[in-house]
Amino acid sequence: MSVSRISQEGLEHILNNRVMVPVTCIIKFYSNTCGYCHALEVPYREMADEFKDVLFFAINSEEVPDHLINHLGVDGV
């Protein structure tokens, strides 16, 4: 399975449990200027291919409001 890019609206749907089918999701927050984020891209995609029953998402942390980043405990990217 591939990694899907998710919007802020999609993220809020997941966080508020407004999804059609219950499923395990992993959401990677990233920044376009973060070297570690780029280095983790390949392993993240490999995990998405390996775990077919899990949905993998990625969202640019710069597109997420600060209050939501803080609420989720995202320390850095």
Side-chain angles (χ1 to χ4, degrees):
M1 188 165 259
S2 64
V3 176
S4 299
R5 207 166 127 59
I6 191 170
S7 66
Q8 177 186 339
E9 181 181 3
L11 175 65
E12 290 176 358
H13 272 80
I14 292 170
L15 296 175
N16 294 318
N17 205 24
R18 295 186 313 228
V19 293
M20 301 299 284
V21 179
V23 64
T24 300
C25 300
I26 297 177
I27 303 170
K28 178 182 97 163
F29 291 83
Y30 70 91
S31 170
N32 291 332
T33 59
C34 174
Y36 293 116
C37 296
H38 291 287
L40 290 173
E41 186 174 343
V42 171
Y44 191 68
R45 290 188 186 281
E46 289 172 351
M47 285 185 352
D49 289 339
E50 182 177 343
F51 297 97
K52 304 286 186 199
D53 57 338
V54 177
L55 295 179
F56 286 79
F57 296 104
I59 186 166
N60 188 330
S61 62
E62 297 164 5
E63 298 174 5
V64 180
D66 288 340
H67 74 276
L68 193 51
I69 290 288
N70 294 334
H71 174 73
L72 294 171
V74 177
D75 289 333
V77 290

